[in-house]
Amino acid sequence: MKRLIAVIMMLLMAMGSTLPVFGAIVTNADPWAVASMEFAYNQGLITEDDLLDAKRDITRIEFCKIVVLLYEKNKGEKLIPRNKSPFTDCDDAAVISAYEAGIISGTEPTKFQPNDTLTREQLAIMLNRILKNWDITLKAGTKKYAFPDITVLMQHSIDVINKVKAAGILVGEDDGQFYPMRGLTFEEAVIGLVKTCHYAEKSAEVVEDKTEGTEQESISAEAEEPLEEKQASNDTSIQNETPYNTVYIKDKKISLEETSKQLIGDWGNPDRIDSTVYGLKRYVYIGNYENYFFVTLKDDKIIEVFVPTKNFSYLGTDGDGTSVDIKQIDYISLVEHSAIIETEATHAGIPLDYEGTIRGLLLQDREFAYGNSEKSGLTAAERITLGTELLDLIQVKRKEQGVPLLTEIEKLSSVAMAHSKDMVDNKYFSYTGQDGSSPFTRIQAEKIFFTSALEVIAKQRGDVTDVYQQWIRTGAQFQALLDPTMDSAGVGVAQSAKDLYVTIDLCGGIKE
């Protein structure tokens, strides 16, 4: 299974599209659906027309065609029907292929009803079948009825809906009902499909690839042996030397579970001590932006190390390479856009850019990686700190590429903050403001005159590392941040619940 999901991700990465810096995604989707629509569009599963009409009802044949595209990317080959259509009302090749793959069935023995709106019950069934095709079996739900209004359905449908609810793939409405016969909008169906992909990659760590046989078992056993030895020992110093929780930065090691005293003893005092979205302390070492890294501490022990430069080494993998150079890889994450190496105690992600190039290392305590909880309601000071860290990461990449570093301009930061706040207050995500303003007119309104200007925006739940991963996987945004003609910057971060809205305004030849 790990290998299967890795194949899925590598195929998706290989055809990732480059988007314009301004108006990267134009869609009428609701705010809660934009991220999933963007993901599906970037992977070539839906079209620009779909983005512009995301709230329309989705037909059975439309969803079927999206599923076939995803299936073909998984298999790496074009699906060609082997037989004639089993349906008298539809002979579309995608429908026949999906039927032969066991993903769809008819509404009657010889009827498909391609132009009928896809229902929530049908979506649940199809998503369950997709996972079965990936050798993933959903666990039975703990409740007899996950929703009170599904009792009238056939038992098979009840069982499937219980499973997808327990897996967190589909949820009910605010009133606790599922409404199984209700038609779906395009954006709702896409969200279900994207959640299924994310569930599949998360399942890769626990589902063994049965096709590998004894060879896979022997590899797994060999890889886990050092971990078993580590767990058998109660000596903290031995645990700190475990290769899985240790990263080398310029040949100098740093390990999870070390204390702040050990950290300072090895690296000296940090350049900054920041507060994080998790309410934890973060020690930031700038290192002239060449050896930049930060660590996050909980109960005075390191639970996270982030190195966004090339100057690291982890389990034989260094920062100067591509995904094919990564050793001991478990799978490639659709969510994190990273190569993942895991044990029962650690979670290491190696972020990959839009071309598959290694762009750093995020090493975390596993419990923290899967159980961390971001705060909502960040203070103004905490949001400013996030902006400072994001600007750090831009400087790191510019230094790495040999382009001039940026000077932060307070007025530009005010412009950026105002746009981020406007997006939160008015519940939208766009380069065009609610008042019709563009990045250029917003900057000029503050009497900032420039030779050239760019804007990059992001909406991301999580921490600065998550925003960083979004930037590097979108070619146009990443290249904009590295534009050598830019010499000034402003950063603004606002928050809605746990979502961060980030605006970066860049200018060249600035004159105030």
Side-chain angles (χ1 to χ4, degrees):
M1 178 53 62
K2 293 179 182 179
R3 188 163 297 180
L4 171 62
I5 302 303
V7 169
I8 294 173
M9 183 57 190
M10 292 306 294
L11 287 168
L12 294 182
M13 284 175 56
M15 54 86 64
S17 57
T18 300
L19 303 175
V21 176
F22 293 112
I25 291 294
V26 179
T27 178
N28 74 333
D30 288 304
W32 43 265
V34 170
S36 292
M37 293 292 290
E38 180 179 4
F39 177 89
Y41 175 70
N42 286 344
Q43 310 311 328
L45 301 177
I46 63 175
T47 67
E48 289 186 18
D49 289 340
D50 296 329
L51 291 173
L52 296 173
D53 197 12
K55 296 182 181 181
R56 75 179 188 274
D57 290 343
I58 187 170
T59 63
R60 286 167 53 81
I61 191 170
E62 282 182 310
F63 186 73
C64 185
K65 289 181 177 181
I66 297 172
V67 169
V68 167
L69 281 174
L70 180 62
Y71 188 94
E72 289 177 341
K73 296 177 195 307
N74 167 18
K75 296 294 185 181
E77 59 185 27
K78 184 77 174 175
L79 273 180
I80 300 175
R82 298 188 300 272
N83 302 297
K84 292 183 178 180
S85 175
F87 308 114
T88 58
D89 60 348
C90 182
D91 60 358
D92 184 88
V95 172
I96 302 171
S97 297
Y99 174 80
E100 292 176 344
I103 296 172
I104 62 101
S105 59
T107 56
E108 301 175 26
T110 60
K111 299 287 185 181
F112 181 67
Q113 295 181 312
N115 297 317
D116 281 8
T117 301
L118 184 72
T119 68
R120 288 171 62 82
E121 176 191 15
Q122 292 166 353
L123 177 66
I125 292 171
M126 288 190 188
L127 296 181
N128 182 55
R129 287 173 176 166
I130 291 171
L131 289 170
K132 281 188 174 180
N133 267 275
W134 291 341
D135 294 326
I136 297 175
T137 301
L138 291 176
K139 295 180 181 179
T142 56
K143 295 182 179 179
K144 185 175 182 180
Y145 300 110
F147 305 97
D149 61 341
I150 65 173
T151 58
V152 297
L153 302 178
M154 299 289 287
Q155 189 59 48
H156 170 70
S157 292
I158 292 173
D159 291 342
V160 169
I161 292 171
N162 285 347
K163 289 177 180 179
V164 295
K165 167 63 165 57
I169 296 173
L170 294 181
V171 297
E173 298 297 325
D174 291 340
D175 59 3
Q177 305 289 330
F178 185 70
Y179 297 101
M181 302 305 175
R182 197 193 76 191
L184 285 160
T185 62
F186 196 93
E187 62 184 4
E188 288 175 321
V190 168
I191 288 173
L193 189 60
V194 171
K195 282 188 174 182
T196 299
C197 291
H198 292 171
Y199 181 88
E201 65 92 4
K202 288 180 181 178
S203 299
E205 65 187 83
V206 295
V207 181
E208 291 184 0
D209 187 346
K210 297 179 181 179
T211 64
E212 295 296 322
T214 56
E215 180 185 356
Q216 177 68 23
E217 291 170 6
S218 64
I219 293 172
S220 298
E222 181 181 355
E224 292 176 359
E225 184 178 356
L227 175 61
E228 292 169 358
E229 291 177 359
K230 175 189 70 176
Q231 292 171 332
S233 171
N234 293 320
D235 188 323
T236 303
S237 63
I238 293 177
Q239 290 185 9
N240 286 343
E241 294 175 0
T242 299
Y244 290 99
N245 71 349
T246 299
V247 57
Y248 289 84
I249 304 172
K250 278 287 186 180
D251 299 323
K252 190 175 179 181
K253 72 177 182 178
I254 183 170
S255 300
L256 300 180
E257 294 295 311
E258 286 183 358
T259 66
S260 60
K261 183 177 180 180
Q262 290 173 297
L263 176 69
I264 292 172
D266 291 335
W267 294 89
N269 290 320
D271 294 287
R272 291 198 316 266
I273 298 180
D274 294 346
S275 178
T276 69
V277 294
Y278 310 112
L280 302 172
K281 286 184 178 181
R282 173 168 289 162
Y283 284 31
V284 181
Y285 290 82
I286 296 177
N288 198 28
Y289 298 117
E290 291 182 358
N291 297 312
Y292 180 100
F293 72 93
F294 64 63
V295 302
T296 306
L297 296 98
K298 182 178 181 181
D299 299 328
D300 200 42
K301 289 187 178 180
I302 297 174
I303 57 170
E304 177 182 67
V305 182
F306 179 56
V307 189
T309 73
K310 294 182 177 181
N311 299 326
F312 77 87
S313 176
Y314 181 72
L315 295 175
T317 296
D318 59 41
D320 194 10
T322 68
S323 57
V324 298
D325 300 310
I326 300 172
K327 300 175 175 61
Q328 301 193 41
I329 184 172
D330 287 323
Y331 63 98
I332 293 184
S333 168
L334 292 168
V335 178
E336 301 171 48
H337 209 261
S338 302
I340 304 299
I341 304 171
E342 288 190 313
T343 71
E344 291 183 13
T346 62
H347 177 93
I350 300 176
L352 303 170
D353 70 11
Y354 61 100
E355 294 180 321
T357 302
I358 294 172
R359 293 295 180 178
L361 173 75
L362 178 63
L363 175 62
Q364 298 172 305
D365 171 87
R366 183 183 171 88
E367 183 178 351
F368 173 71
Y370 284 98
N372 54 40
S373 178
E374 305 90 352
K375 295 193 304 179
S376 56
L378 295 174
T379 67
E382 288 170 332
R383 293 195 299 271
I384 290 172
T385 296
L386 287 175
T388 300
E389 291 179 351
L390 290 170
L391 183 57
D392 281 348
L393 298 181
I394 297 170
Q395 304 283 46
V396 166
K397 304 322 287 183
R398 292 177 71 89
K399 184 88 171 187
E400 193 172 79
Q401 296 299 313
V403 299
L405 299 182
L406 300 168
T407 300
E408 185 174 13
I409 304 296
E410 186 176 347
K411 275 190 176 182
L412 268 182
S413 292
S414 296
V415 174
M417 177 61 77
H419 185 57
S420 291
K421 188 174 184 302
D422 188 52
M423 288 192 288
V424 168
D425 291 345
N426 293 293
K427 298 179 173 57
Y428 73 97
F429 180 67
S430 173
Y431 289 96
T432 303
Q434 283 291 94
D435 58 358
S437 62
S438 72
F440 303 114
T441 59
R442 289 193 292 271
I443 295 171
Q444 290 171 333
E446 291 299 314
K447 301 188 184 308
I448 301 172
F449 304 99
F450 51 85
T451 303
S452 57
L454 291 170
E455 184 171 271
V456 173
I457 61 175
K459 177 188 174 186
Q460 184 68 47
R461 174 164 293 200
D463 196 5
V464 292
T465 55
D466 300 288
V467 178
Y468 174 78
Q469 288 165 351
Q470 179 179 329
W471 281 343
I472 65 174
R473 71 173 178 249
T474 307
Q477 290 193 339
F478 193 35
Q479 292 304 316
L481 296 173
L482 300 178
D483 191 319
T485 67
M486 301 296 140
D487 53 39
S488 304
V491 184
V493 180
Q495 186 185 40
S496 174
K498 296 183 179 182
D499 290 325
L500 302 177
Y501 285 72
V502 179
T503 302
I504 310 290
D505 284 322
L506 304 168
C507 287
I510 195 169
K511 295 180 182 179
E512 296 188 62

